[in-house]
Amino acid sequence: MKVLVLNSGSSSIKFQLIDVERETVMAKGLIERVGFDDAIFSYQAPPKEKIKQRRPILDYQTGIHLIKETLVAPQSGVIRDMSQIEAVGHRIVHGGEDFSDSVIINDDVIRSVEKNIELAPLHNPPNLLGIQAARAELPNVPMVGVFDTAFHQTLPERAFVYALPYSYYEEKRIRRFGFHGTSHQYVAQRAAEFLNQQLKDLRMITLHLGNGCSITAIDRGNSVDTSLGFGTMCGMPMGTRAGDVDPAILLYLQEQEGFSAADVQRLLYKESGMLGISGVSPDMREVEDLAAEGHPRARLALEVFAYAARKYIGAYAAVLGGLDVLVFTAGVGENSPILREMICRDMDFLGISIDSEKNDFKGKLREISAPSARVRTLVVPTNEELMIAKETFRLVSEAG
Ligand code: ADP
Protein backbone atom coordinates (compact mmCIF):
# COMPACT_ATOMS: atom_id res chain seq x y z
CA MET A 1 0.00 0.00 0.00
CA LYS A 2 1.24 3.48 -0.90
CA VAL A 3 0.45 5.99 1.82
CA LEU A 4 0.89 9.74 1.62
CA VAL A 5 1.97 10.99 5.06
CA LEU A 6 1.21 14.63 5.80
CA ASN A 7 2.48 16.70 8.71
CA SER A 8 0.83 20.11 8.49
CA GLY A 9 2.42 22.69 10.77
CA SER A 10 1.67 26.33 11.40
CA SER A 11 3.27 27.44 8.14
CA SER A 12 4.61 24.24 6.65
CA ILE A 13 3.56 20.94 5.14
CA LYS A 14 5.98 18.03 5.34
CA PHE A 15 5.12 15.04 3.18
CA GLN A 16 6.36 11.58 2.31
CA LEU A 17 4.96 9.01 -0.06
CA ILE A 18 5.72 5.66 1.55
CA ASP A 19 5.44 2.15 0.19
CA VAL A 20 4.43 0.50 3.44
CA GLU A 21 5.13 -3.15 2.60
CA ARG A 22 8.63 -2.30 1.36
CA GLU A 23 9.15 0.35 4.06
CA THR A 24 10.59 2.67 1.43
CA VAL A 25 10.16 6.40 0.87
CA MET A 26 9.21 6.93 -2.79
CA ALA A 27 9.22 10.73 -2.58
CA LYS A 28 9.37 13.34 0.11
CA GLY A 29 9.43 17.06 0.54
CA LEU A 30 8.47 20.16 2.38
CA ILE A 31 6.53 23.34 1.77
CA GLU A 32 7.68 26.23 3.94
CA ARG A 33 5.97 29.59 4.38
CA VAL A 34 2.49 28.32 3.48
CA GLY A 35 0.27 31.40 3.29
CA PHE A 36 2.88 33.58 1.56
CA ASP A 37 3.75 34.73 -1.95
CA ASP A 38 7.26 33.40 -1.54
CA ALA A 39 6.60 29.94 -0.15
CA ILE A 40 9.38 27.41 -0.74
CA PHE A 41 8.65 24.00 -2.22
CA SER A 42 11.32 21.32 -1.89
CA TYR A 43 10.93 17.82 -3.27
CA GLN A 44 13.11 14.79 -3.74
CA ALA A 45 12.50 11.41 -5.27
CA PRO A 46 15.88 9.94 -6.20
CA PRO A 47 17.08 9.33 -8.87
CA LYS A 48 14.86 12.11 -10.24
CA GLU A 49 16.23 15.61 -10.07
CA LYS A 50 15.53 17.49 -6.83
CA ILE A 51 13.13 20.42 -6.97
CA LYS A 52 13.48 23.61 -4.97
CA GLN A 53 11.35 26.54 -6.01
CA ARG A 54 9.87 29.70 -4.61
CA ARG A 55 6.24 30.29 -5.55
CA PRO A 56 3.05 31.65 -4.05
CA ILE A 57 1.26 29.01 -1.94
CA LEU A 58 -1.43 30.90 -0.15
CA ASP A 59 -3.24 28.02 1.55
CA TYR A 60 -2.94 24.36 2.47
CA GLN A 61 -5.11 23.17 -0.41
CA THR A 62 -2.88 24.87 -2.98
CA GLY A 63 0.07 23.19 -1.27
CA ILE A 64 -1.47 19.72 -1.36
CA HIS A 65 -2.55 20.25 -4.97
CA LEU A 66 1.07 21.02 -5.85
CA ILE A 67 2.28 17.90 -4.03
CA LYS A 68 -0.26 15.84 -6.01
CA GLU A 69 0.80 17.30 -9.35
CA THR A 70 4.47 16.77 -8.59
CA LEU A 71 3.94 13.13 -7.58
CA VAL A 72 2.36 12.29 -10.96
CA ALA A 73 4.23 14.66 -13.33
CA PRO A 74 6.38 12.76 -15.87
CA GLN A 75 9.63 14.51 -14.88
CA SER A 76 9.34 14.41 -11.11
CA GLY A 77 6.66 11.82 -10.47
CA VAL A 78 6.85 8.39 -8.87
CA ILE A 79 3.29 7.22 -9.56
CA ARG A 80 1.13 7.02 -12.69
CA ASP A 81 -1.91 8.70 -11.22
CA MET A 82 -3.43 9.55 -7.88
CA SER A 83 -5.44 6.34 -7.70
CA GLN A 84 -2.17 4.67 -6.67
CA ILE A 85 -2.29 6.54 -3.37
CA GLU A 86 -4.47 4.24 -1.31
CA ALA A 87 -4.54 6.20 1.92
CA VAL A 88 -3.37 9.38 3.61
CA GLY A 89 -1.94 9.46 7.13
CA HIS A 90 -2.03 12.72 9.05
CA ARG A 91 0.06 13.61 12.06
CA ILE A 92 -2.17 15.21 14.67
CA VAL A 93 -0.51 16.63 17.75
CA HIS A 94 -3.22 16.57 20.39
CA GLY A 95 -5.93 13.96 20.78
CA GLY A 96 -6.67 14.89 24.40
CA GLU A 97 -8.40 12.01 26.18
CA ASP A 98 -10.52 11.25 23.11
CA PHE A 99 -7.98 9.18 21.23
CA SER A 100 -5.94 6.33 22.64
CA ASP A 101 -5.25 4.94 19.18
CA SER A 102 -4.97 6.11 15.61
CA VAL A 103 -8.32 6.60 13.91
CA ILE A 104 -9.98 6.69 10.49
CA ILE A 105 -10.87 10.33 9.95
CA ASN A 106 -14.54 11.21 9.59
CA ASP A 107 -16.64 14.24 10.55
CA ASP A 108 -16.94 13.10 14.20
CA VAL A 109 -13.17 12.79 14.47
CA ILE A 110 -12.73 16.27 13.04
CA ARG A 111 -15.16 17.64 15.63
CA SER A 112 -13.21 15.93 18.44
CA VAL A 113 -9.90 17.32 17.17
CA GLU A 114 -11.52 20.75 17.03
CA LYS A 115 -12.59 20.29 20.65
CA ASN A 116 -8.95 19.76 21.57
CA ILE A 117 -7.76 22.98 19.92
CA GLU A 118 -7.70 24.73 23.29
CA LEU A 119 -5.14 22.16 24.51
CA ALA A 120 -2.88 22.65 21.47
CA PRO A 121 -3.71 26.07 20.05
CA LEU A 122 -0.56 26.22 17.94
CA HIS A 123 -0.68 22.71 16.50
CA ASN A 124 -4.19 21.35 16.11
CA PRO A 125 -5.52 24.19 13.90
CA PRO A 126 -2.91 23.69 11.14
CA ASN A 127 -3.28 19.90 11.48
CA LEU A 128 -7.00 20.38 10.80
CA LEU A 129 -6.38 22.70 7.87
CA GLY A 130 -4.15 20.03 6.36
CA ILE A 131 -6.84 17.38 6.84
CA GLN A 132 -9.53 19.54 5.29
CA ALA A 133 -7.33 20.44 2.34
CA ALA A 134 -6.39 16.80 1.78
CA ARG A 135 -10.05 15.73 1.91
CA ALA A 136 -10.87 18.35 -0.72
CA GLU A 137 -7.98 17.33 -2.98
CA LEU A 138 -8.28 13.55 -2.49
CA PRO A 139 -11.99 13.13 -1.86
CA ASN A 140 -12.28 9.34 -2.08
CA VAL A 141 -9.08 8.35 -0.32
CA PRO A 142 -9.35 7.03 3.25
CA MET A 143 -7.51 9.17 5.79
CA VAL A 144 -6.11 8.24 9.17
CA GLY A 145 -5.13 10.49 12.07
CA VAL A 146 -2.11 9.48 14.17
CA PHE A 147 -1.81 11.41 17.43
CA ASP A 148 1.36 12.39 19.31
CA THR A 149 -0.54 11.91 22.55
CA ALA A 150 -2.36 8.61 21.87
CA PHE A 151 0.41 6.22 22.94
CA HIS A 152 0.49 7.84 26.41
CA GLN A 153 -3.21 7.35 27.07
CA THR A 154 -2.26 4.17 28.95
CA LEU A 155 -0.65 6.20 31.74
CA PRO A 156 -2.24 5.25 35.05
CA GLU A 157 -4.08 8.04 36.84
CA ARG A 158 -1.39 8.28 39.53
CA ALA A 159 1.09 9.21 36.78
CA PHE A 160 -1.07 11.67 34.86
CA VAL A 161 -2.83 13.57 37.64
CA TYR A 162 -1.04 16.64 38.98
CA ALA A 163 -1.44 17.29 42.70
CA LEU A 164 -3.64 20.32 42.02
CA PRO A 165 -7.29 20.43 43.14
CA TYR A 166 -8.89 17.47 41.35
CA SER A 167 -11.45 19.78 39.74
CA TYR A 168 -8.66 21.21 37.58
CA TYR A 169 -8.44 17.80 35.94
CA GLU A 170 -12.17 17.16 35.81
CA GLU A 171 -13.24 20.58 34.63
CA LYS A 172 -10.25 22.02 32.82
CA ARG A 173 -8.64 18.78 31.56
CA ILE A 174 -5.33 19.75 33.20
CA ARG A 175 -3.30 16.53 33.35
CA ARG A 176 -0.17 14.98 31.93
CA PHE A 177 -0.77 14.04 28.28
CA GLY A 178 2.75 13.38 27.03
CA PHE A 179 3.99 13.84 23.46
CA HIS A 180 6.34 12.22 20.90
CA GLY A 181 4.16 9.12 21.35
CA THR A 182 4.57 8.04 17.74
CA SER A 183 8.33 8.07 18.12
CA HIS A 184 8.39 6.24 21.46
CA GLN A 185 6.02 3.58 20.15
CA TYR A 186 8.00 3.15 16.94
CA VAL A 187 11.40 2.74 18.58
CA ALA A 188 9.97 0.41 21.22
CA GLN A 189 8.56 -1.86 18.50
CA ARG A 190 11.78 -1.72 16.50
CA ALA A 191 13.84 -2.50 19.60
CA ALA A 192 11.72 -5.56 20.40
CA GLU A 193 11.98 -6.78 16.79
CA PHE A 194 15.74 -6.26 16.84
CA LEU A 195 16.08 -8.24 20.07
CA ASN A 196 13.77 -10.93 18.73
CA GLN A 197 11.55 -10.53 21.76
CA GLN A 198 7.94 -9.59 22.39
CA LEU A 199 7.10 -6.12 23.66
CA LYS A 200 4.82 -7.75 26.21
CA ASP A 201 7.86 -9.32 27.87
CA LEU A 202 9.93 -6.13 28.17
CA ARG A 203 10.34 -3.18 30.52
CA MET A 204 11.82 -0.34 28.51
CA ILE A 205 12.91 3.24 28.86
CA THR A 206 12.96 5.16 25.57
CA LEU A 207 14.92 8.41 25.41
CA HIS A 208 13.78 10.68 22.58
CA LEU A 209 16.52 13.30 22.67
CA GLY A 210 16.27 15.82 19.83
CA ASN A 211 15.53 19.50 19.79
CA GLY A 212 12.53 18.53 21.84
CA CYS A 213 13.20 15.80 24.40
CA SER A 214 11.08 13.28 26.22
CA ILE A 215 11.70 10.08 28.11
CA THR A 216 9.10 7.34 28.46
CA ALA A 217 8.71 4.31 30.70
CA ILE A 218 7.13 1.48 28.69
CA ASP A 219 5.84 -1.49 30.62
CA ARG A 220 5.20 -4.48 28.38
CA GLY A 221 4.32 -2.23 25.43
CA ASN A 222 2.29 0.33 27.39
CA SER A 223 3.47 3.83 28.17
CA VAL A 224 3.23 4.18 31.96
CA ASP A 225 5.01 7.48 32.49
CA THR A 226 6.56 10.15 30.32
CA SER A 227 8.50 13.32 30.93
CA LEU A 228 6.45 15.77 28.84
CA GLY A 229 3.19 16.70 30.48
CA PHE A 230 0.24 19.01 29.93
CA GLY A 231 2.46 20.87 27.49
CA THR A 232 5.86 20.46 25.93
CA MET A 233 7.99 22.57 28.25
CA CYS A 234 8.62 20.24 31.17
CA GLY A 235 10.85 17.28 31.91
CA MET A 236 14.25 17.27 30.22
CA PRO A 237 16.09 20.49 29.37
CA MET A 238 16.01 20.83 25.57
CA GLY A 239 17.56 22.94 22.80
CA THR A 240 15.87 26.16 23.90
CA ARG A 241 13.29 24.88 26.42
CA ALA A 242 14.03 24.81 30.12
CA GLY A 243 12.37 21.54 31.08
CA ASP A 244 11.43 21.25 34.75
CA VAL A 245 11.84 24.44 36.76
CA ASP A 246 10.50 25.31 40.17
CA PRO A 247 7.18 27.16 39.58
CA ALA A 248 8.24 29.56 42.37
CA ILE A 249 10.71 31.03 39.89
CA LEU A 250 7.86 32.05 37.62
CA LEU A 251 5.91 33.67 40.45
CA TYR A 252 9.06 35.46 41.54
CA LEU A 253 9.68 36.81 38.03
CA GLN A 254 6.05 37.91 37.76
CA GLU A 255 6.06 39.66 41.08
CA GLN A 256 9.59 41.07 41.14
CA GLU A 257 10.30 41.68 37.47
CA GLY A 258 6.79 42.22 36.12
CA PHE A 259 7.01 39.27 33.73
CA SER A 260 3.89 38.81 31.59
CA ALA A 261 2.62 35.45 30.33
CA ALA A 262 4.38 36.18 27.03
CA ASP A 263 7.66 36.90 28.85
CA VAL A 264 7.41 33.60 30.73
CA GLN A 265 6.64 31.76 27.51
CA ARG A 266 9.64 33.31 25.75
CA LEU A 267 11.95 32.56 28.65
CA LEU A 268 10.92 28.94 29.09
CA TYR A 269 10.40 28.10 25.44
CA LYS A 270 12.95 30.08 23.46
CA GLU A 271 15.77 31.28 25.69
CA SER A 272 16.51 28.39 28.00
CA GLY A 273 17.80 24.83 27.70
CA MET A 274 21.16 24.27 26.02
CA LEU A 275 21.05 27.80 24.57
CA GLY A 276 20.30 29.35 27.94
CA ILE A 277 23.04 27.56 29.85
CA SER A 278 25.76 27.66 27.20
CA GLY A 279 24.88 31.19 26.13
CA VAL A 280 25.94 30.16 22.64
CA SER A 281 23.75 27.68 20.81
CA PRO A 282 20.75 25.36 21.12
CA ASP A 283 22.42 22.96 18.70
CA MET A 284 23.95 20.04 20.54
CA ARG A 285 26.70 19.63 17.93
CA GLU A 286 27.93 23.15 18.59
CA VAL A 287 27.58 22.75 22.34
CA GLU A 288 29.65 19.55 22.17
CA ASP A 289 32.31 21.15 19.99
CA LEU A 290 32.66 24.10 22.34
CA ALA A 291 32.75 21.84 25.38
CA ALA A 292 35.57 19.88 23.75
CA GLU A 293 37.47 23.15 23.33
CA GLY A 294 37.05 23.80 27.06
CA HIS A 295 34.12 26.26 27.02
CA PRO A 296 32.94 25.97 30.68
CA ARG A 297 29.25 26.73 30.15
CA ALA A 298 28.96 24.47 27.12
CA ARG A 299 30.46 21.76 29.31
CA LEU A 300 27.96 22.62 32.05
CA ALA A 301 25.06 22.47 29.58
CA LEU A 302 26.06 18.91 28.62
CA GLU A 303 26.35 17.95 32.27
CA VAL A 304 22.94 19.36 33.16
CA PHE A 305 21.41 17.52 30.19
CA ALA A 306 23.03 14.17 31.02
CA TYR A 307 22.25 14.55 34.73
CA ALA A 308 18.55 15.13 33.99
CA ALA A 309 18.42 12.06 31.73
CA ARG A 310 20.13 9.95 34.42
CA LYS A 311 17.55 11.02 36.99
CA TYR A 312 14.75 9.97 34.66
CA ILE A 313 16.37 6.59 34.07
CA GLY A 314 16.60 6.03 37.82
CA ALA A 315 13.04 7.19 38.40
CA TYR A 316 11.57 5.15 35.57
CA ALA A 317 13.51 2.04 36.51
CA ALA A 318 11.72 2.38 39.87
CA VAL A 319 8.38 2.98 38.11
CA LEU A 320 8.89 -0.18 36.03
CA GLY A 321 10.23 -2.25 38.93
CA GLY A 322 13.32 -3.08 36.90
CA LEU A 323 14.61 -2.55 33.42
CA ASP A 324 15.31 -4.77 30.41
CA VAL A 325 15.93 -2.35 27.53
CA LEU A 326 17.16 1.23 27.23
CA VAL A 327 16.67 2.94 23.84
CA PHE A 328 18.28 6.13 22.56
CA THR A 329 16.64 7.95 19.65
CA ALA A 330 16.20 11.31 17.81
CA GLY A 331 18.93 13.76 16.72
CA VAL A 332 21.00 13.69 19.90
CA GLY A 333 20.17 10.14 21.00
CA GLU A 334 21.08 8.71 17.59
CA ASN A 335 24.14 10.82 16.89
CA SER A 336 25.90 11.72 20.10
CA PRO A 337 28.22 9.03 21.51
CA ILE A 338 29.45 11.53 24.10
CA LEU A 339 26.05 12.17 25.63
CA ARG A 340 25.12 8.48 25.51
CA GLU A 341 28.32 7.79 27.39
CA MET A 342 27.71 10.58 29.94
CA ILE A 343 24.15 9.37 30.51
CA CYS A 344 25.08 5.70 30.99
CA ARG A 345 28.28 6.22 33.01
CA ASP A 346 28.42 4.32 36.35
CA MET A 347 24.98 2.81 35.91
CA ASP A 348 26.13 -0.77 36.46
CA PHE A 349 24.09 -0.89 39.66
CA LEU A 350 20.99 -0.79 37.40
CA GLY A 351 22.46 -3.32 34.97
CA ILE A 352 23.28 -0.61 32.41
CA SER A 353 26.75 -0.66 30.94
CA ILE A 354 27.76 0.36 27.45
CA ASP A 355 30.75 -0.65 25.39
CA SER A 356 32.64 2.47 24.34
CA GLU A 357 33.79 0.96 21.04
CA LYS A 358 30.30 -0.15 20.07
CA ASN A 359 28.98 3.24 21.15
CA ASP A 360 31.31 5.14 18.84
CA PHE A 361 28.99 5.61 15.84
CA LYS A 362 26.06 7.63 14.55
CA GLY A 363 22.60 7.12 13.22
CA LYS A 364 22.11 3.37 12.83
CA LEU A 365 20.15 0.72 14.67
CA ARG A 366 22.69 -0.94 16.88
CA GLU A 367 23.15 -2.47 20.30
CA ILE A 368 25.75 -0.66 22.39
CA SER A 369 25.61 -2.58 25.66
CA ALA A 370 28.64 -4.32 27.07
CA PRO A 371 28.41 -8.12 26.83
CA SER A 372 28.07 -8.39 30.61
CA ALA A 373 25.24 -5.82 30.90
CA ARG A 374 21.88 -7.01 32.19
CA VAL A 375 20.06 -4.18 30.38
CA ARG A 376 20.22 -4.20 26.57
CA THR A 377 21.02 -0.64 25.47
CA LEU A 378 20.16 0.19 21.86
CA VAL A 379 20.32 3.10 19.49
CA VAL A 380 17.22 3.04 17.28
CA PRO A 381 16.74 5.75 14.64
CA THR A 382 13.22 7.07 14.93
CA ASN A 383 10.95 7.34 11.92
CA GLU A 384 7.64 8.99 12.76
CA GLU A 385 6.55 9.13 9.11
CA LEU A 386 6.99 5.38 8.67
CA MET A 387 5.08 4.77 11.90
CA ILE A 388 2.24 7.00 10.64
CA ALA A 389 2.24 5.10 7.32
CA LYS A 390 2.16 1.74 9.15
CA GLU A 391 -0.66 2.88 11.41
CA THR A 392 -2.57 4.14 8.37
CA PHE A 393 -2.08 0.80 6.62
CA ARG A 394 -3.24 -1.08 9.74
CA LEU A 395 -6.42 0.93 10.18
CA VAL A 396 -7.37 1.03 6.51
CA SER A 397 -6.74 -2.72 6.15
CA GLU A 398 -8.84 -3.46 9.27
CA ALA A 399 -11.67 -1.27 7.95
CA GLY A 400 -11.32 -2.69 4.41
P1 ADP B 1 13.60 17.72 16.26
O1 ADP B 1 13.16 17.63 17.69
O2 ADP B 1 13.56 19.11 15.70
O3 ADP B 1 13.02 16.67 15.34
P2 ADP B 1 16.07 16.25 15.94
O4 ADP B 1 15.58 14.96 16.43
O5 ADP B 1 16.41 16.36 14.48
O6 ADP B 1 15.15 17.45 16.34
O7 ADP B 1 17.38 16.63 16.77
C1 ADP B 1 18.05 17.82 16.60
C2 ADP B 1 19.20 17.85 17.58
O8 ADP B 1 20.08 16.75 17.30
C3 ADP B 1 20.04 19.11 17.49
O9 ADP B 1 20.34 19.59 18.79
C4 ADP B 1 21.32 18.62 16.83
O10 ADP B 1 22.41 19.37 17.22
C5 ADP B 1 21.41 17.23 17.38
N1 ADP B 1 22.36 16.46 16.59
C6 ADP B 1 22.29 16.09 15.29
N2 ADP B 1 23.42 15.47 14.90
C7 ADP B 1 24.22 15.46 15.99
C8 ADP B 1 25.55 14.98 16.23
N3 ADP B 1 26.24 14.40 15.28
N4 ADP B 1 26.05 15.12 17.48
C9 ADP B 1 25.34 15.73 18.44
N5 ADP B 1 24.12 16.20 18.28
C10 ADP B 1 23.57 16.08 17.06
Side-chain angles (χ1 to χ4, degrees), residues 33-104:
R33 296 180 57 75
V34 175
F36 293 90
D37 274 339
D38 58 347
I40 305 163
F41 175 60
S42 337
Y43 173 90
Q44 53 194 83
K48 310 239 166 177
E49 225 170 274
K50 283 186 190 170
I51 298 174
K52 183 144 193 173
Q53 37 181 244
R54 239 171 236 282
R55 54 194 291 164
I57 299 176
L58 296 181
D59 54 40
Y60 288 79
Q61 192 167 338
T62 311
I64 290 173
H65 188 79
L66 174 63
I67 294 168
K68 254 173 59 172
E69 284 189 331
T70 313
L71 288 172
V72 297
Q75 277 195 336
S76 54
V78 289
I79 49 176
R80 257 186 345 267
D81 58 62
M82 290 310 287
S83 68
Q84 287 189 274
I85 296 185
E86 287 157 274
V88 177
H90 292 271
R91 176 190 181 217
I92 306 178
V93 168
H94 217 309
E97 290 191 332
D98 299 313
F99 299 102
S100 54
D101 196 0
S102 308
V103 66
I104 301 257

Side-chain angles (χ1 to χ4, degrees), residues 12 27 32 34 39 57 62 74 107 127-128 138 171 188 190 195 205 272 282 286-287 297 343 345 365 375 389 391:
S12 69
E32 294 160 276
V34 175
I57 299 176
T62 311
D107 292 343
N127 295 163
L128 280 163
L138 299 151
E171 288 159 24
R190 273 286 192 253
L195 295 170
I205 298 175
S272 296
E286 286 181 45
V287 177
R297 275 167 45 195
I343 291 168
R345 191 178 296 159
L365 200 171
V375 173
E391 284 289 279

Side-chain angles (χ1 to χ4, degrees), residues 82-370:
M82 290 310 287
S83 68
Q84 287 189 274
I85 296 185
E86 287 157 274
V88 177
H90 292 271
R91 176 190 181 217
I92 306 178
V93 168
H94 217 309
E97 290 191 332
D98 299 313
F99 299 102
S100 54
D101 196 0
S102 308
V103 66
I104 301 257
I105 295 175
N106 57 29
D107 292 343
D108 287 343
V109 169
I110 290 184
R111 273 191 289 279
S112 298
V113 177
E114 281 170 350
K115 202 182 84 194
N116 288 315
I117 284 179
E118 63 189 26
L119 296 172
L122 296 180
H123 292 106
N124 276 18
N127 295 163
L128 280 163
L129 288 172
I131 292 170
Q132 274 144 0
R135 288 178 112 197
E137 283 293 317
L138 299 151
N140 299 315
V141 180
M143 309 223 170
V144 169
V146 181
F147 299 88
D148 274 23
T149 49
F151 181 56
H152 301 301
Q153 278 295 302
T154 46
L155 254 61
E157 197 171 15
R158 62 174 179 270
F160 75 67
V161 160
Y162 292 111
L164 296 167
Y166 194 71
S167 58
Y168 280 63
Y169 166 52
E170 284 182 311
E171 288 159 24
K172 303 181 203 293
R173 297 195 282 164
I174 292 177
R175 53 159 285 177
R176 181 183 302 280
F177 288 104
F179 298 88
H180 296 144
T182 312
S183 174
H184 288 288
Q185 188 176 12
Y186 175 78
V187 298
Q189 283 178 4
R190 273 286 192 253
E193 278 164 26
F194 177 82
L195 295 170
N196 235 334
Q197 296 196 54
Q198 303 279 325
L199 266 177
K200 67 174 174 47
D201 298 325
L202 296 170
R203 294 161 301 178
M204 277 194 201
I205 298 175
T206 49
L207 298 96
H208 177 109
L209 308 177
N211 254 325
C213 297
S214 64
I215 300 184
T216 296
I218 303 176
D219 191 10
R220 299 168 174 88
N222 293 319
S223 171
V224 291
D225 205 348
T226 189
S227 64
L228 288 176
F230 176 72
T232 54
M233 287 200 260
C234 61
M236 285 290 294
M238 315 183 202
T240 58
R241 284 174 255 174
D244 282 342
V245 294
D246 179 348
I249 298 167
L250 309 179
L251 293 176
Y252 176 84
L253 290 172
Q254 282 166 2
E255 283 163 11
Q256 302 296 321
E257 309 273 335
F259 267 47
S260 65
D263 293 332
V264 170
Q265 160 98 8
R266 200 187 57 247
L267 173 72
L268 294 185
Y269 210 80
K270 299 262 185 230
E271 299 175 350
S272 296
M274 297 301 96
L275 172 65
I277 300 175
S278 71
V280 187
S281 172
D283 189 311
M284 202 60 99
R285 273 167 297 206
E286 286 181 45
V287 177
E288 280 183 12
D289 289 348
L290 284 166
E293 290 164 17
H295 190 288
R297 275 167 45 195
R299 181 77 215 161
L300 178 63
L302 295 186
E303 280 173 9
V304 169
F305 187 87
Y307 181 70
R310 291 166 64 81
K311 287 211 286 193
Y312 271 106
I313 292 171
Y316 286 174
V319 164
L320 293 166
L323 183 63
D324 304 305
V325 184
L326 187 68
V327 180
F328 284 95
T329 193
V332 176
E334 291 165 27
N335 297 304
S336 174
I338 298 170
L339 275 163
R340 292 194 297 254
E341 199 278 322
M342 288 172 75
I343 291 168
C344 295
R345 191 178 296 159
D346 298 328
M347 286 264 195
D348 313 56
F349 71 99
L350 274 179
I352 299 169
S353 169
I354 64 174
D355 179 307
S356 50
E357 263 174 44
K358 287 190 204 158
N359 181 41
D360 190 17
F361 79 104
K362 290 178 184 167
K364 287 194 288 265
L365 200 171
R366 179 184 276 188
E367 177 163 8
I368 57 172
S369 18

